Structures are given as structure tokens and as C-alpha cells.
Amino acid sequence: MSRRNKHLALVRRPSSVLVASTVVYGRVLVELLVVAPGLVGRMLGPALAFSAVLLTLAVAVFLRQRDSSDAEPPPRQNPARMRQALTFAALYVTILFAVAAGRDWIGEDAVFGVAFVSGLTDVDALTLSVGQLFTNGETEAATAWRAIFLATLSNLLFKTVAAAVLGSAELRRWILGAGVIALTSGSLIVAFWP
């Protein structure tokens, strides 16, 4: 098997979805260091705890599913395109507005609904928006980190469902099992972390 084919085989594994979701937490913490350094301490514990859960699941799934052979994934597009940058900027402004408007009209809990919906496709814009609100004193730390964490769970849910729908039967079986465990663990962290 060529080096390229070995790499593609790893991309097709359910463990790749879990590892990709783990990387999100590192990215979120770096973004918070830039826009809301005071929130990093609150986000660090839950992020590390959940990353440990995701990596444990990824290793367990990888070891049990080593010899699978799913169909080759479609090639990825270049992420540096101008259209994508403009889309991100528009999404960032929309989320910032939606969180502020929702908080004014519905109350502080509106941020969670916005976080869940926006997190389905993009965690970064929500992280930057909520981080900015926290820095400006417009939302509390407990609400801010939970909203960001909820967005990451929403994103994991989207990845899990997409992999299950688009992947093979074997991929579906593994990713749904691991996804349910991961999402349950993450939900418990959001609900009960001090």
C-alpha cells in the first residue's frame, strides 16, 4: 500500500472524526487566548477532560477497526479561498448579532440556541463572537464557556451524522457507537462541570 493510500485509509476511519473533534478544542483555546484570555482558564478543564474522552474513544475504535476498507473520500477543497473567508466574516457578524439580539429579547439563555445552531457548521465564528461578548462584559464566564462547548458538541453531532449518512455500513456502526458515548459525555460536562 502506498503512503498516499495509507493516509486515505486513516481518513476513512471513524477514529479520524474523533481526532478531528479533539483538535477543535486546541483551536478554540488558541482563539480564546486572542479574544478572551480571561475565559481560557474556565474552558481549559472541560476541554481537556472531553479531549481525553475523545482520544480514548479514537484509540479504542482504531484498534478494533484496523483492517477496514471504506470508499475513498472526495478530495478536499482549498480552505484559503476568498469566498470562504467572506462567508466566515459574514457568519461571524451574523452570530454576534444573533447572540446580542437573542440575549436582549429572550435573555441570557438565548446564547445556547445560537451556539447549537451555529456550531453545526462552524465553531470558530461562535467562539470568537462569544469570546468578544465575554471580554466586553456582556456575558458571564459560565455562560460563555458552556455556549462554546455546546457549539463544539453540535459540531461533533454534525460530523457524526454526516459520517454515518455518507459512509459505509461499517463506518456507520463504529461512528454512531462512539458518537453516542462522546456526545453523552460532553453533555454531562456541560451540565455538571462546576
Side-chain angles (χ1 to χ4, degrees):
M1 181 183 274
S2 73
R3 188 174 183 183
R4 180 178 180 273
N5 288 339
K6 283 181 181 177
H7 176 69
L8 288 173
L10 288 175
V11 171
R12 293 190 300 263
R13 297 186 181 280
S15 55
S16 298
V17 174
L18 297 167
V19 171
S21 295
T22 304
V23 172
V24 167
Y25 291 94
R27 199 172 69 226
V28 162
L29 289 170
V30 169
E31 290 167 356
L32 289 178
L33 272 173
V34 174
V35 298
L39 193 54
V40 172
R42 292 296 299 270
M43 187 71 186
L44 187 61
L48 289 177
F50 194 56
S51 293
V53 170
L54 291 174
L55 288 175
T56 301
L57 283 170
V59 169
V61 169
F62 178 79
L63 292 175
R64 290 187 175 255
Q65 205 235 355
R66 246 184 253 216
D67 300 322
S68 74
S69 57
D70 298 323
E72 187 172 308
R76 298 185 70 175
Q77 293 183 345
N78 180 358
R81 293 186 179 187
M82 181 59 78
R83 191 179 85 193
Q84 290 171 323
L86 292 173
T87 301
F88 178 82
L91 186 60
Y92 173 79
V93 171
T94 302
I95 291 170
L96 198 58
F97 174 77
V99 169
R103 199 181 64 247
D104 288 345
W105 295 334
I106 301 170
E108 190 74 14
D109 292 340
V111 71
F112 297 115
V114 173
F116 181 83
V117 172
S118 66
L120 289 169
T121 57
D122 192 339
V123 173
D124 300 315
L126 185 281
T127 300
L128 295 172
S129 300
V130 171
Q132 190 65 49
L133 290 172
F134 170 77
T135 299
N136 294 342
E138 297 177 47
T139 191
E140 295 182 6
T143 301
W145 83 257
R146 282 186 167 84
I148 294 167
F149 200 93
L150 180 62
T152 65
L153 291 180
S154 173
N155 192 259
L156 175 59
L157 174 64
F158 178 81
K159 289 175 187 169
T160 301
V161 171
V165 169
L166 301 173
S168 67
E170 184 180 7
L171 176 65
R172 187 176 308 115
R173 179 171 61 92
W174 285 104
I175 197 62
L176 287 177
V180 167
I181 294 169
L183 290 166
T184 301
S185 301
S187 298
L188 291 173
I189 288 173
V190 169
F192 297 110
W193 195 275

